[in-house]
C-alpha cells in the first residue's frame, strides 16, 4: 500500500494498465480497451443472431421492430412549431415558406468550398458476409481427398469447385459490431440491442435474461476478438465499469454479475461516467454534459465528488438528430424516392448517422450540401446524389426537443421490478408512454386489478421532462446547487462529452442559449464551455482508465478484507468514505450505500468486487 501512495501515476499505469480492462457501455456503442491504451475499441452495442426454423410466418429483422415511431397530430404540430422557432433564430425560411430564390436553383458554391466537407467519405457500405465454412463438411472433404488416388483427385478437383462448394458453408451463428448493422435484408438474422435510452431494453419481446445474455456475448466477443483475452485467462485481469447516470442499481448489479460471473474477471469496480469524464479532462469541478446517441445527461462535480441532486436525464441524443434530418429532407422533398426506415433497417440508421456527422452543424443562414444517399431495399445497393437542405436545423433540436419524436415502447414486465434482495426498493426511474396499438390491458388500470403489465411506479429521484431543452437542463442543474460561488464556477466550467459534442457550432450555441436561460434575478453573467483535451466520445473511458484524484492519488487501490476485494476511499469509484474493517462470510449479503441509493448486493462469491461508499 505504501508503494501505491508514492508511485508516479504514469508508472502505475504502465505497470498495471495491461491487466486493467475498462468497459464503458452505452445505448448505441460500447467502448472497451486496456487502461494503458490511448483510444478504446468503439463497437456498436448490438448482436445479430441467426434465426433457425423461421421459414414460416413473419420474420423480425430487428428485435425492436414493433416500436411505434409515427408522430401523432399533436406531436406533428409541436414539431412544426419548433422548426419555425429554430428557423427564425437561424434566419432561414420557415418550414412551409417558399424561399425567395426558389424559382431558380440554390447556390451551393459556399458549401462545396467548405473545407471539412472535402475530406468526407461517401456513405457507401458493403454487405456483411453471413456465411462461414462448415468445419464438419470441410474435414470430411479433406479426408476423402486424402484417401482418393492421384488420378481420381485430379478428375474430381474441377467438379468440386463448381458443385458442392456451397454445401461446405453455413450461416454464422451470430454477428457482432458494425458487421451486424450491414447484414443483407434477406438474410435470416435478427438484430438485438440490449440497451435503449440508457436502460436495459426489456419488453414482452425481449426478456431480461436475453438482455443479460446478449450483453455477456457482446462483451465476451470484444474481449476475445479485439483484446485477445481468452476466457481461461480472465482471472488475471480486473475490470473497471464506467457506467452512465441513467442506470439504476439493479441494472448495475446485473452488469457486475456479468463481469464477475460470466466474463470471469477476478475483480471489478464501478465508476460514475460523469465523474470519470471530469477526471478524463483533468478537472475536479465541472458541469458535465454527456450527449450520447439516445440519452443526454447533466451532472455537476465539485472537488471530485458528484452531486446527485444535480443529475438531469433527457431522453434524446444523436440518433434523434439523425432521424430528424431524415424527416426534414422528406418534408422538403429533397430525399430520394427510396424507402428509408432507420428503426427497422439498422443500415439506414448507420447511413443517417454518417450523414449527420459529415454535414450537420449549427450556423446562421441557409445551409445546404450535396451528398450521396444509399438505398438498401434490395441486396444491390443503389446510390443517389442529392441536395440536403436545412442541415443546421436538426442539431438545434437539442434546445427545442419537440422537434424530435421519440419512439414509444411498452414497459418491462412486472417481474423485473420485484427484487427480493433489494431492501429499499426504488428501482426504475423511467416513465413509459402508452402505445396506441397496444390494448389497455397491457398497462396499469385504475380499478385496482392487476394484469401482466401492471407494475408499481416508484418515486423517482429526479423529475424528467421530455420537453426540457438542453440549455434549461444545464441551467436547472447548476442552479440546484444553491451556492452562488459554486454556481459561478460551474457556469464557467461546462464540459461537453459524447459523440454529438463534436458537432461544429455546438459550443457557441450552448454558451449563448445557457446564458439566455439564466433567470435575470441570478447574479451570473458569464458562461463558458471548456475545450476537451481529447475526443469527447472517449473522455469518460479515459477518465476510468487513468483518471486521477489529485488529492488522493491513483484510484487503483485494491484491498482484500475477509476474502473480498474492493477499492475503498476514492470518490471517483463511487466511494465517499472508507469502510474500515468488514466482518462477513462468503455466503452473506451486505447492505451498501452508493450515490444511487441504499441497496443490498447479491451474495458475493469469493474474490468478487463491488461498489461501496
Amino acid at each position: 500500500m505504501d508503494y501505491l501512495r508514492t508511485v508516479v501515476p504514469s508508472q502505475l499505469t504502465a505497470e498495471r494498465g495491461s491487466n486493467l480492462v475498462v468497459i464503458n457501455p452505452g445505448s448505441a456503442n460500447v467502448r472497451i480497451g486496456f487502461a494503458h491504451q490511448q483510444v478504446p475499441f468503439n463497437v456498436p452495442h448490438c448482436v445479430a443472431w441467426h434465426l433457425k426454423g423461421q421459414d414460416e410466418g413473419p420474420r423480425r429483422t430487428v428485435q425492436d421492430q414493433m416500436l411505434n415511431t409515427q408522430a401523432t397530430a399533436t406531436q406533428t404540430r409541436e414539431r412544426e412549431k419548433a422548426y419555425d422557432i429554430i428557423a427564425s433564430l437561424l434566419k432561414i425560411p420557415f418550414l412551409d415558406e417558399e424561399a425567395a430564390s426558389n424559382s431558380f436553383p440554390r447556390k451551393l458554391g459556399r458549401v462545396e468550398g467548405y473545407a471539412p466537407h472535402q475530406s468526407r467519405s461517401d456513405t457507401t457500405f458493403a454487405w456483411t458476409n453471413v456465411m462461414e465454412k462448415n468445419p464438419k463438411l470441410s474435414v470430411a472433404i479433406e479426408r476423402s481427398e486424402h484417401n482418393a488416388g492421384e488420378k481420381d483427385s485430379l478428375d474430381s478437383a474441377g467438379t468440386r469447385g463448381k458443385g458442392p462448394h456451397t454445401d461446405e458453408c453455413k450461416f454464422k451463428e451470430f454477428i457482432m459490431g458494425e458487421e451486424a448493422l450491414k447484414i443483407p435484408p434477406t438474410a435470416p438474422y435478427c438484430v438485438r440491442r440490449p440497451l435503449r435510452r440508457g436502460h436495459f431494453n426489456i419488453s414482452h419481446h425481449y426478456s431480461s435474461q436475453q438482455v443479460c445474455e446478449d450483453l455477456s456475448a457482446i462483451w465476451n466477443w470484444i474481449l476475445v476478438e479485439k483484446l485477445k483475452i481468452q476466457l481461461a485467462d480472465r482471472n488475471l485481469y480486473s475490470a473497471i465499469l464506467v457506467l452512465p447516470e441513467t442506470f439504476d442499481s439493479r441494472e448495475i448489479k446485473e452488469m457486475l454479475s456479468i463481469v464477475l460471473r460470466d466474463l470471469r474477471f477476478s475483480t471489478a469496480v464501478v465508476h460514475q461516467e460523469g465523474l470519470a469524464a471530469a477526471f478524463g479532462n483533468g478537472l475536479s469541478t465541472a458541469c458535465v454534459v454527456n450527449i450520447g446517441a439516445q440519452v443526454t445527461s447533466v451532472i455537476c462535480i465539485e472537488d471530485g465528488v458528484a452531486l446527485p441532486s444535480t443529475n438531469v436525464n433527457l431522453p434524446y441524443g444523436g440518433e434523434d438528430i439523425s432521424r430528424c434530418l431524415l424527416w426534414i429532407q422528406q418534408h422538403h422533398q429533397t430525399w430520394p424516392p427510396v424507402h428509408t426506415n432507420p428503426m427497422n433497417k439498422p443500415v439506414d440508421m448507420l447511413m443517417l448517422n454518417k450523414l449527420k456527422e459529415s454535414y450537420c452543424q449549427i450556423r446562421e443562414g441557409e445551409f445546404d450540401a450535396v451528398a450521396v444517399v444509399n438505398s438498401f431495399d434490395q441486396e444491390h445497393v443503389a446510390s443517389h446524389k442529392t441536395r440536403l437542405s436545412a442541415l443546421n436545423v436538426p442539431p438545434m433540436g437539442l434546445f427545442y426537443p419537440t422537434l424530435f419524436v421519440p419512439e414509444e415502447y411498452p414497459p418491462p414486465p412486472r417481474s423485473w421490478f420485484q427484487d427480493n434482495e433489494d431492501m429499499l426498493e426504488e428501482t426504475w426511474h423511467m416513465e413509459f408512454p402508452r402505445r396506441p396499438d397496444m390494448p389497455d390491458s397491457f398497462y396499469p388500470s385504475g380499478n385496482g386489478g392487476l394484469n401482466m403489465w401492471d407494475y408499481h411506479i416508484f418515486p423517482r429521484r429526479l423529475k424528467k421532462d421530455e420537453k426540457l431543452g438542453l440549455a434549461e437542463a444545464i441551467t436547472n442543474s447548476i442552479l440546484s446547487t444553491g451556492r452562488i460561488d459554486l454556481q459561478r464556477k460551474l457556469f464557467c466550467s461546462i464540459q461537453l462529452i459524447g459523440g454529438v459534442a463534436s458537432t461544429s457550432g455546438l459550443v457557441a450555441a450552448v454558451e449563448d442559449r445557457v446564458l439566455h436561460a439564466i433567470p435575470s434575478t441570478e447574479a451570473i453573467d458569464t458562461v463558458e464551455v471548456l475545450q476537451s483535451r481529447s475526443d469527447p466520445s472517449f473522455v469518460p473511458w479515459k477518465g476510468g482508465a487513468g483518471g486521477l484524484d489529485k488529492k488522493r492519488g491513483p484510484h487503483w487501490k485494491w484491498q482484500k478484507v475477509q476474502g473480498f476485494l474492493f477499492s475503498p476511499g476514492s470518490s471517483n469509484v463511487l466511494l465517499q468514505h472508507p469502510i474500515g474493517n468488514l466482518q462477513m462470510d462468503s455466503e452473506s449479503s451486505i447492505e451498501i450505500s452508493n450515490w444511487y441509493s441504499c441497496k443490498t448486493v447479491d451474495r458475493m462469491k469469493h474474490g468478487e468486487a463491488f461498489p461501496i461508499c
Side-chain angles (χ1 to χ4, degrees):
M1 185 56 64
D2 292 336
Y3 168 75
L4 292 176
R5 292 175 178 173
T6 59
V7 67
V8 178
S10 59
Q11 179 182 353
L12 181 68
T13 303
E15 291 178 356
R16 301 194 176 183
S18 59
N19 290 330
L20 290 174
V21 177
V22 183
I23 305 174
N24 179 212
S27 298
N29 298 281
V30 56
R31 292 154 289 276
I32 298 183
F34 291 113
H36 65 80
Q37 292 180 208
Q38 294 298 320
V39 178
F41 292 100
N42 191 30
V43 181
H45 214 173
C46 62
V47 55
W49 292 100
H50 176 229
L51 299 176
K52 301 177 181 179
Q54 296 290 330
D55 297 335
E56 299 179 358
R59 177 175 60 88
R60 290 200 306 268
T61 57
V62 179
Q63 191 71 16
D64 299 322
Q65 195 161 322
M66 301 302 293
L67 293 182
N68 174 32
T69 57
Q70 298 298 323
T72 63
T74 302
Q75 288 176 325
T76 300
R77 288 193 298 269
E78 292 179 347
R79 167 180 268 188
E80 294 174 351
K81 182 179 179 181
Y83 184 102
D84 290 341
I85 294 175
I86 294 172
S88 64
L89 294 174
L90 299 179
K91 301 177 182 179
I92 62 175
F94 293 143
L95 185 62
D96 295 322
E97 179 185 357
E98 293 185 358
S101 58
N102 195 37
S103 57
F104 53 88
R106 293 175 183 245
K107 296 180 179 179
L108 298 176
R110 57 181 175 85
V111 177
E112 292 172 354
Y114 188 65
H117 292 331
Q118 297 296 327
S119 60
R120 307 296 188 188
S121 59
D122 291 340
T123 56
T124 303
F125 307 107
W127 291 117
T128 298
N129 181 16
V130 299
M131 307 300 293
E132 64 180 355
K133 288 186 176 181
N134 191 332
K136 294 182 180 180
L137 292 178
S138 299
V139 171
I141 292 174
E142 290 177 1
R143 289 178 178 176
S144 63
E145 290 179 347
H146 177 73
N147 296 331
E150 294 182 357
K151 293 183 179 181
D152 294 336
S153 298
L154 292 174
D155 294 339
S156 60
T159 58
R160 282 198 189 96
K162 298 178 182 179
H165 178 71
T166 56
D167 296 334
E168 300 177 21
C169 299
K170 66 173 184 176
F171 285 106
K172 297 178 181 177
E173 181 181 358
F174 60 84
I175 300 176
M176 300 285 186
E178 187 169 318
E179 296 297 315
L181 304 178
K182 301 186 293 184
I183 295 177
T186 57
Y189 284 86
C190 181
V191 178
R192 294 180 181 176
R193 291 183 177 273
L195 301 182
R196 179 171 293 280
R197 299 290 182 189
H199 287 287
F200 280 14
N201 189 16
I202 300 173
S203 69
H204 58 296
H205 292 299
Y206 201 6
S207 67
S208 59
Q209 180 180 354
Q210 289 177 317
V211 168
C212 293
E213 289 175 353
D214 287 348
L215 282 173
S216 177
I218 295 170
W219 296 1
N220 182 71
W221 178 82
I222 298 175
L223 293 172
V224 173
E225 298 296 328
K226 303 296 184 181
L227 301 185
K228 308 302 180 183
I229 305 177
Q230 301 301 323
L231 190 62
D233 302 326
R234 301 276 171 79
N235 61 335
L236 303 176
Y237 296 85
S238 299
I240 300 175
L241 275 173
V242 181
L243 301 182
E245 287 74 15
T246 56
F247 290 127
D248 68 32
S249 59
R250 177 166 183 180
E251 292 167 320
I252 295 173
K253 186 173 68 174
E254 292 294 339
M255 284 186 280
L256 274 174
S257 297
I258 291 171
V259 168
L260 296 169
R261 178 194 61 211
D262 302 335
L263 302 182
R264 300 184 186 178
F265 280 97
S266 62
T267 55
V269 71
V270 174
H271 290 231
Q272 187 175 353
E273 188 176 58
L275 198 56
F279 290 129
N281 270 332
L283 303 173
S284 60
T285 300
C287 176
V288 180
V289 183
N290 187 354
I291 313 176
Q294 299 179 4
V295 177
T296 298
S297 61
V298 183
I299 192 167
C300 295
I301 312 297
E302 180 186 13
D303 293 334
V305 178
L307 306 178
S309 61
T310 65
N311 183 215
V312 180
N313 297 320
L314 306 172
Y316 51 79
E319 289 188 358
D320 297 279
I321 297 177
S322 299
R323 290 195 290 135
C324 181
L325 170 65
L326 174 63
W327 172 75
I328 291 175
Q329 305 313 314
Q330 290 176 337
H331 186 89
H332 288 303
Q333 298 182 356
T334 57
W335 196 256
V338 298
H339 179 66
T340 304
N341 189 338
M343 297 307 302
N344 292 345
K345 294 163 59 180
V347 68
D348 282 345
M349 177 59 78
L350 189 61
M351 175 189 63
L352 288 171
N353 286 336
K354 296 288 186 180
L355 291 173
K356 174 200 65 180
E357 295 167 2
S358 298
Y359 299 104
C360 283
Q361 56 181 279
I362 299 178
R363 54 185 291 185
E364 287 188 358
E366 298 183 34
F367 183 40
D368 302 347
V370 175
V372 176
V373 174
N374 299 316
S375 59
F376 306 96
D377 291 334
Q378 305 296 330
E379 290 199 12
H380 173 70
V381 179
S383 298
H384 309 267
K385 191 173 184 179
T386 185
R387 172 180 59 82
L388 303 179
S389 63
L391 292 169
N392 47 354
V393 173
M396 288 294 291
L398 296 172
F399 306 102
Y400 300 91
T402 53
L403 187 68
F404 303 141
V405 178
E407 66 270 23
E408 299 179 359
Y409 51 104
R414 176 183 172 86
S415 59
W416 172 250
F417 299 94
Q418 296 176 345
D419 189 357
N420 297 325
E421 298 167 350
D422 202 337
M423 298 180 65
L424 295 178
E425 185 87 11
E426 187 192 44
T427 51
W428 200 266
H429 308 299
M430 189 173 182
E431 288 184 353
F432 297 86
R434 289 174 177 260
R435 283 182 49 178
D437 60 331
M438 298 288 289
D440 292 337
S441 60
F442 280 89
Y443 297 92
S445 58
N447 58 8
L450 299 178
N451 52 60
M452 62 179 295
W453 290 108
D454 188 17
Y455 64 98
H456 293 294
I457 300 295
F458 300 104
R460 289 175 297 163
R461 179 167 50 91
L462 295 166
K463 182 179 180 180
K464 186 189 70 173
D465 187 357
E466 294 184 358
K467 297 182 180 180
L468 187 66
L470 180 61
E472 290 76 14
I474 296 173
T475 302
N476 294 349
S477 175
I478 295 178
L479 292 180
S480 66
T481 59
R483 291 164 36 206
I484 186 63
D485 57 331
L486 178 59
Q487 292 170 358
R488 288 174 176 172
K489 191 173 184 179
L490 290 173
F491 273 116
C492 292
S493 304
I494 299 175
Q495 179 183 358
L496 299 181
I497 62 173
V500 182
S502 301
T503 303
S504 177
L506 180 61
V507 170
V510 169
E511 292 176 342
D512 179 69
R513 302 307 304 172
V514 171
L515 185 61
H516 284 82
I518 300 175
S520 57
T521 56
E522 300 291 340
I524 299 171
D525 57 3
T526 304
V527 175
E528 182 180 358
V529 175
L530 302 180
Q531 183 177 3
S532 180
R533 296 183 178 181
S534 58
D535 189 335
S537 300
F538 302 147
V539 169
W541 182 91
K542 290 183 68 68
L548 301 176
D549 186 334
K550 296 180 181 179
K551 296 181 180 179
R552 297 172 181 168
H555 59 245
W556 296 307
K557 296 181 180 179
W558 304 97
Q559 291 186 4
K560 188 172 183 179
V561 179
Q562 300 288 18
F564 290 82
L565 293 171
F566 60 95
S567 177
S570 179
S571 61
N572 55 327
V573 254
L574 308 185
L575 307 178
Q576 304 300 328
H577 306 286
I579 67 171
N581 288 331
L582 183 65
Q583 300 295 332
M584 59 180 294
D585 56 75
S586 60
E587 291 299 322
S588 63
S589 298
I590 59 172
E591 184 178 341
I592 65 172
S593 174
N594 57 26
W595 66 279
Y596 293 94
S597 57
C598 294
K599 299 294 174 184
T600 301
V601 167
D602 195 4
R603 293 179 179 178
M604 309 302 292
K605 297 180 181 179
H606 180 80
E608 294 183 349
F610 44 89
I612 309 178
C613 66

